[in-house]
Amino acid sequence: MKYTAQQLAEIANAQLIGDPNKVVKNLAFDSRIIYSVQDTAFLAIKTEKNNGEKYIASAIEKGIHVIIAEQKTIDNDEVSWLLVENAIDFVQKLARYHFNQYNISSIGVTGSNGKTIVKEWLYQSLSDDFSCVKSPKSFNSQLGLPLSLLKINASHQLGIFEVGISKPNEMEKLQEIFSPKIGILTHIGSAHIAHFQNEKQLIEEKITLFKNSEVIVFNGDNDLAFSILNEKYSSKHLISYGFGKHNDVHIISDWKDRTKDITVTCLGEVFSFPVHQRDEATLVNALAVITVLYHLGYAREKIIEKIHHLKSVEMRLEAVNGIRNNLIINDSFNLDLDSLKIAYQFIKEYNKPNKVLIITDFVEKHNADELYKEVADLTNEQNFNMIFLVGEEIQKYQSLFKALSFSFNKISELIKSQEFNKLENQLILLKGARKFETEKVKTYLELQKHETVLEVNLNKVLHNIRVHQSFLRPETKMMAMVKAYSYGLGGYEIAEFLQHHHIDYLGVAVADEGVELRKNGIITPIIVMNPEQHSYNAVIDFNLEPNIYSFRVLELFYQQLKQADFVGDYPIHIKLETGMHRLGFKEDELDELIQRLKQMNIRVKSIFSHLSSADIPAEREYTLQQFEVFERQSERLIQGLGYTPIQHILNSSGILNYPEYQYDMVRIGIGMVGICYNEKVKPLLQPAVAFKSVISQISEIKKDVSVSYGRRYKAEKDTRIATIPVGYADGIPRLLSNGVGFVGIKNAIVPIVGSVCMDMMMVNIEDIPAKEGDEVIIFNGHPSLEEFAHYCKTIPYEVLTSISRRVKRVYVKD
Ligand SMILES: *Cc1c(COP(=O)(O)O)cnc(C)c1O
């Protein structure tokens, strides 16, 4: 897009203050991740949780000269303002206008699952034949869709956009700005259903998108969706796909039989093709693509060829720690301008001052000169210390890059180079086209070449937090418990992510954990739940806030404050005993507590307590009693103190089961991981942690042959045994030996056989078509963390915190 400030004001009915001729080509809404200030306008978005106005100053400081906001907040002659009623409405109006300027064909994809894959696959299938534009990643929301639409320009013939909603009445708004010719409804699942009355309402809302569509392609396996669409849109051209035989497009072969090709009937025409990946989700997404291609008039052979060439959609950026304290951000799945911009945004989230870029030739392009010029301009704004250009083409443009740069023909040459091997304390962004195999750089730099990893999906952590927040009032604060190495998930990485997403408080168990976070640049307030006496110094030095739960602790801490000559009121938190019988002041101590506190230079920031049984429905009475005691005690404390500290008592289960007692703040812990003890909410959460390994070796053994120490297992028949490089030193309890525990391999669940060793264990894979090097799931979806905890006869909390530090933690973002 390209508009002047004047045009923007006219299109979206905004009041313009300042230069009407300023040009706007990009919109930014997060001042921390602005990757380019050239012709960029900053959009101050107000949400329930946050107010973008707070960041206007930092956007201006970075060099942005057009601000779109509800009010003018800063006097600066260089800045032009567009004053609007609501920033989201503004982008939506603009996108609607923009979309209507171009008469392009359009496909709109909605549904609960599979939107992004179907969109990406359609793009892969159609971009050879049409000049296509698509939503980047899964930009599909009230803001994401408009931003995607603004990418349309005069060269495009076809737009493929995904559209997502989470609450009632959202689709109507999106339909007004984007009305696709071809509508696609993918699988309907339980995502967001909590905000709707029932599934029917959810489906009806989603299909509003198709109001003006000519053709609707939909997953017909959901009976309700099938009947609603046929009823509501009987006058439109409807094509259904899915596993059910009633669908216009469905599979007729036995798709579970891996030795056979998949055969599909498509409105009467039959065709077969080989498919390697056979899970239901992949197949049904492929059916959606086949249906659209068929509708667009592609011949059978062409469709088979296109399906054959679909590439798995890996849209995640992963961050791993490398040797010499380098942090590697690996994004080597596709390389185009959009994904480069996203990667540049992504690295802004890390506060590493030293940055290095490794970038390869772009594979898909129209005009190389223009493209590399744009790449260089964009890159020059990022302040990389050093740039490595890999590929014969991109090195021709080396002079365009301002940072110190080196060029190579191949990745293998780069890895051998001296400059590369000297890198230390750097954030290394790896941005390469697939065919250059840039992942080799990652492998080379990885700390230890560990095959066993604990993978933490940060987006899912955020998703789970949002699900919990949906039970709370918008103004209720949230503390994230990151004690015990963030429940085993990692140290500052999780805290940094949460800080970036404006968590109000962090909770650690002991002072050392808090100090570690501060040393890594965490500035969010941190409460220390169990401050040990020897650490009070560190507490004060690192601005940590202690939990004070007894007179002994209060007096000792106060002594330390005096010794440190602390000036001002030190923030502390008072814990009340209400029924857990662990730590806390008791009711009859309150009067004395008030007296003492009044004599000290201390400020009580919060009063809190902890529930013993928020996850146990049978203990509801007891829990309600805890609230009652808490309310009575804190009221007394507040009266006595003469001011009102914030109050909090709910943990994760409490949030879901007793939201009426949220007070001013809640403390989320295990819920972030995706574990919950509320059956209704469970399907809404996403498992955020995966413990994975690989098969080191496979042995064929005969009947009666024994496996592992002590010969506790002997094969009952000839079979195949896989050895996995993870053992009790990694956190797999030895009690899982010999059939007690299971792991997932190739979607099958197989038993551990023989004794679990210190660093290895064996599983019986029989005739599962696994090979050495294949992935092993210790827990993820299947088996789940809960199931694994069940094998171990314990709870997910203990499983996670028992995973040894030597297991590498990898953080991914979708
Ligand atoms: C660990 C902890 C929590 C979080 O509990 P979850 O059950 O993981 O949600 C909350 N409050 C306190 C005081 C804790 O120690």
Side-chain angles (χ1 to χ4, degrees):
M1 69 165 203
K2 181 177 172 185
Y3 294 101
T4 62
Q6 177 71 36
Q7 285 171 321
L8 289 178
E10 281 164 18
I11 294 166
N13 213 355
Q15 185 197 342
L16 171 68
I17 304 179
D19 180 359
N21 297 320
K22 290 238 167 75
V23 171
V24 174
K25 292 185 184 166
N26 307 299
L27 294 176
F29 57 91
D30 185 334
S31 64
R32 294 160 303 178
I33 56 172
I34 292 169
Y35 58 86
S36 166
V37 295
Q38 272 288 330
D39 303 328
T40 297
F42 178 75
L43 198 58
I45 295 175
K46 269 193 188 167
T47 62
E48 284 177 347
K49 276 274 164 195
N50 209 354
N51 184 351
E53 280 177 6
K54 286 195 292 200
Y55 310 111
I56 291 177
S58 97
I60 293 175
E61 203 172 289
K62 287 188 172 165
I64 286 197
H65 288 154
V66 182
I67 304 289
I68 300 158
E70 288 175 26
Q71 51 181 345
K72 184 171 168 202
T73 55
I74 291 171
D75 269 323
N76 182 326
D77 292 342
E78 286 183 56
V79 177
S80 295
W81 296 79
L82 285 156
L83 303 187
V84 297
E85 253 171 46
N86 174 307
I88 300 268
D89 281 352
F90 167 86
V91 211
Q92 293 185 345
K93 274 187 200 144
L94 176 61
R96 177 177 172 179
Y97 172 87
H98 189 77
F99 180 66
N100 288 327
Q101 294 307 295
Y102 301 95
N103 186 22
I104 67 171
S105 291
S106 54
I107 300 181
V109 190
T110 190
S112 312
N113 311 89
K115 291 188 288 290
T116 305
I117 307 270
V118 168
K119 175 207 67 191
E120 292 289 329
W121 278 356
L122 282 171
Y123 180 81
Q124 288 179 15
S125 307
L126 295 169
S127 56
D128 285 344
D129 308 322
F130 302 92
S131 163
C132 290
V133 50
K134 66 173 169 85
S135 336
K137 305 254 162 180
S138 44
F139 276 34
N140 62 30
S141 62
Q142 297 286 312
L143 178 62
L145 175 69
L147 291 176
S148 304
L149 293 170
L150 290 171
K151 299 197 172 296
I152 300 174
N153 67 39
S155 76
H156 294 132
Q157 299 167 300
L158 172 65
I160 310 170
F161 299 101
E162 55 174 287
V163 188
I165 55 166
S166 51
K167 293 202 207 82
N169 303 322
E170 287 188 337
M171 189 59 94
E172 214 174 314
K173 275 196 170 165
L174 296 179
Q175 192 276 332
E176 278 174 22
I177 59 172
F178 172 58
S179 194
K181 285 207 180 101
I182 299 180
I184 302 179
L185 180 70
T186 61
H187 177 77
I188 292 285
S190 58
H192 303 303
I193 191 107
H195 296 290
F196 292 83
Q197 283 160 14
N198 49 35
E199 194 178 357
K200 180 160 179 275
Q201 196 201 15
L202 175 80
I203 295 170
E204 283 176 343
E205 174 85 27
K206 293 209 173 197
I207 65 172
T208 315
L209 177 66
F210 310 141
K211 202 161 131 193
N212 298 321
S213 302
E214 289 161 15
V215 186
I216 303 172
V217 170
F218 68 100
N219 183 328
D221 286 339
N222 181 312
D223 293 338
L224 200 54
F226 195 94
S227 64
I228 296 175
L229 274 162
N230 274 290
E231 213 169 283
K232 183 146 187 225
Y233 290 132
S234 55
S235 60
K236 296 186 192 290
H237 183 19
L238 300 176
I239 318 176
S240 67
Y241 65 88
F243 287 94
K245 303 270 175 274
H246 61 284
N247 289 308
D248 299 316
V249 180
H250 64 262
I251 298 176
I252 49 179
S253 56
D254 174 6
W255 55 274
K256 287 185 179 147
D257 182 349
R258 296 178 164 274
T259 60
K260 294 208 186 80
D261 282 358
I262 299 266
T263 306
V264 171
T265 166
C266 188
L267 294 146
E269 189 152 2
V270 173
F271 44 99
S272 300
F273 41 87
V275 173
H276 303 295
Q277 191 148 349
R278 298 252 172 161
D279 59 284
E280 285 182 42
T282 304
L283 288 174
V284 82
N285 290 333
L287 287 179
V289 176
I290 291 171
T291 311
V292 174
L293 293 178
Y294 188 84
H295 168 73
L296 292 175
Y298 281 95
R300 200 167 72 173
E301 292 68 35
K302 201 77 195 162
I303 295 178
I304 294 175
E305 183 193 315
K306 284 185 185 285
I307 293 293
H308 189 71
H309 284 111
L310 291 181
K311 286 179 278 195
S312 75
V313 181
E314 288 271 14
M315 284 163 306
R316 55 188 217 174
L317 289 147
E318 59 177 344
V320 293
N321 291 316
I323 45 175
R324 296 189 297 274
N325 200 28
N326 291 307
L327 176 74
I328 307 139
I329 308 290
N330 181 29
D331 182 11
S332 42
F333 302 107
N334 59 11
L335 180 58
D336 53 36
L337 268 179
D338 272 341
S339 75
L340 188 66
K341 288 175 187 171
I342 289 169
Y344 285 167
Q345 279 178 13
F346 184 83
I347 59 172
K348 296 254 182 227
E349 295 184 14
Y350 290 85
N351 38 23
K352 278 232 172 194
N354 302 316
K355 290 177 295 185
V356 168
L357 171 69
I358 298 175
I359 188 168
T360 70
D361 285 355
F362 283 54
V363 178
E364 289 163 44
K365 66 193 145 282
H366 298 294
N367 179 332
D369 284 351
E370 226 170 71
L371 175 78
Y372 288 112
K373 167 94 174 54
E374 207 169 339
V375 169
D377 286 349
L378 207 57
T379 304
N380 290 337
E381 286 190 66
Q382 315 305 320
N383 296 321
F384 285 106
N385 294 356
M386 215 184 274
I387 298 176
F388 295 95
L389 304 169
V390 181
E392 291 176 9
E393 192 173 70
I394 196 164
Q395 40 178 289
K396 289 189 214 144
Y397 300 90
Q398 186 170 359
S399 62
L400 298 178
F401 292 88
K402 289 199 193 123
L404 177 62
S405 61
F406 304 92
S407 52
F408 305 90
N409 289 329
K410 291 197 192 114
I411 285 288
S412 53
E413 292 170 18
L414 163 82
I415 291 177
K416 282 188 217 127
S417 74
Q418 226 185 5
E419 294 79 13
F420 174 74
N421 280 289
K422 278 198 299 220
L423 295 180
E424 198 171 8
N425 286 319
Q426 302 284 337
L427 178 151
I428 303 176
L429 174 64
L430 258 179
K431 196 75 195 81
R434 228 170 239 266
K435 71 166 194 190
F436 280 91
E437 300 183 328
T438 36
E439 38 320 328
K440 280 188 191 152
V441 177
K442 184 192 93 177
T443 321
Y444 181 79
L445 287 176
E446 258 172 338
L447 209 48
Q448 295 127 329
K449 214 191 142 324
H450 244 311
E451 287 159 334
T452 303
V453 295
L454 191 71
E455 192 179 281
V456 184
N457 187 313
L458 296 172
N459 282 89
K460 291 186 176 170
V461 168
L462 187 61
H463 167 89
N464 294 333
I465 291 178
R466 298 274 185 255
V467 170
H468 284 78
Q469 274 171 337
S470 72
F471 287 80
L472 302 173
R473 292 187 303 269
E475 67 274 16
T476 301
K477 292 185 193 320
M478 187 169 266
M479 176 186 304
M481 298 307 295
V482 291
K483 61 194 182 205
Y485 197 51
S486 292
Y487 286 47
L489 308 188
Y492 79 98
E493 293 89 346
I494 303 282
E496 181 164 76
F497 177 78
L498 296 170
Q499 168 170 293
H500 181 80
H501 289 282
H502 310 292
I503 202 86
D504 299 289
Y505 252 98
L506 294 167
V508 297
V510 294
D512 284 353
E513 294 176 340
V515 170
E516 190 65 28
L517 296 181
R518 286 280 185 261
K519 284 185 173 164
N520 278 291
I522 302 294
I523 54 172
T524 302
I526 298 175
I527 176 168
V528 184
M529 288 295 170
N530 201 355
E532 312 113 297
Q533 192 178 333
H534 71 83
S535 67
Y536 294 161
N537 245 336
V539 166
I540 298 167
D541 285 351
F542 287 88
N543 190 20
L544 307 172
E545 304 177 8
N547 163 19
I548 301 292
Y549 53 84
S550 71
F551 287 114
R552 186 184 58 86
V553 179
L554 178 64
E555 297 301 338
L556 287 169
F557 184 71
Y558 181 54
Q559 290 308 322
Q560 193 65 49
L561 267 188
K562 281 200 291 195
Q563 250 180 42
D565 287 327
F566 187 85
V567 185
D569 290 340
Y570 201 90
I572 64 155
H573 302 262
I574 295 288
K575 184 158 196 185
L576 300 177
E577 167 52 49
T578 60
M580 178 77 174
H581 299 293
R582 194 167 65 176
L583 297 176
F585 285 98
K586 313 199 175 43
E587 195 140 17
D588 59 4
E589 296 174 321
L590 294 184
D591 288 337
E592 193 188 337
L593 175 62
I594 293 163
Q595 271 218 324
R596 281 303 288 142
L597 285 171
K598 284 183 148 173
Q599 296 158 349
M600 299 172 172
N601 59 330
I602 270 178
R603 175 92 185 170
V604 180
K605 275 185 74 180
S606 85
I607 303 171
F608 74 108
S609 188
H610 194 43
L611 298 173
S612 74
S613 316
D615 53 339
I616 303 172
E619 294 296 353
R620 193 172 176 85
E621 274 307 306
Y622 190 80
T623 308
L624 293 175
Q625 219 172 310
Q626 278 201 276
F627 294 128
E628 200 187 308
V629 176
F630 179 64
E631 257 167 53
R632 196 170 62 227
Q633 294 190 26
S634 41
E635 239 159 65
R636 213 162 126 194
L637 201 51
I638 291 169
Q639 283 266 316
L641 286 173
Y643 58 90
T644 313
I646 65 170
Q647 288 163 263
H648 47 111
I649 189 166
L650 300 182
N651 61 351
S652 309
S653 291
I655 298 171
L656 306 180
N657 297 334
Y658 302 94
E660 357 22 315
Y661 297 97
Q662 58 189 276
Y663 303 110
D664 311 297
M665 180 156 81
V666 297
R667 306 186 302 267
I668 191 171
I670 198 80
M672 292 189 280
V673 176
I675 295 288
C676 93
Y677 300 92
N678 176 319
E679 291 306 314
K680 257 187 83 181
V681 181
K682 201 175 206 163
L684 303 182
L685 298 179
Q686 298 174 347
V689 191
F691 192 6
K692 295 176 178 174
S693 191
V694 295
I695 299 178
S696 320
Q697 190 174 23
I698 292 178
S699 323
E700 315 249 343
I701 64 167
K702 295 276 177 226
K703 184 171 183 292
D704 296 330
V705 169
S706 69
V707 174
S708 195
Y709 288 122
R711 308 193 62 203
R712 287 163 71 199
Y713 169 82
K714 291 184 182 135
E716 283 159 20
K717 55 178 190 192
D718 295 2
T719 189
R720 294 164 75 228
I721 300 292
T723 303
I724 304 163
V726 52
Y728 56 77
D730 299 289
I732 307 282
R734 191 164 173 277
L735 83 86
L736 296 195
S737 299
N738 243 351
V740 178
F742 299 82
V743 301
I745 294 179
K746 296 253 154 196
N747 282 327
I749 296 286
V750 298
I752 298 174
V753 292
S755 300
V756 173
C757 311
M758 190 182 291
D759 313 304
M760 277 173 269
M761 64 184 188
M762 276 63 82
V763 297
N764 185 4
I765 56 171
E766 296 192 18
D767 51 5
I768 290 166
K771 42 184 202 317
E772 293 179 357
D774 276 354
E775 185 177 74
V776 176
I777 303 291
I778 298 161
F779 60 76
N780 188 4
H782 194 50
S784 64
L785 170 54
E786 283 104 322
E787 285 167 316
F788 185 80
H790 189 69
Y791 306 149
C792 303
K793 303 196 171 45
T794 183
I795 51 175
Y797 297 79
E798 191 185 346
V799 168
L800 291 174
T801 52
S802 306
I803 296 171
S804 130
R805 292 283 184 102
R806 80 175 188 191
V807 173
K808 191 172 47 153
R809 269 70 174 169
V810 178
Y811 304 92
V812 302
K813 289 195 186 187
D814 288 334

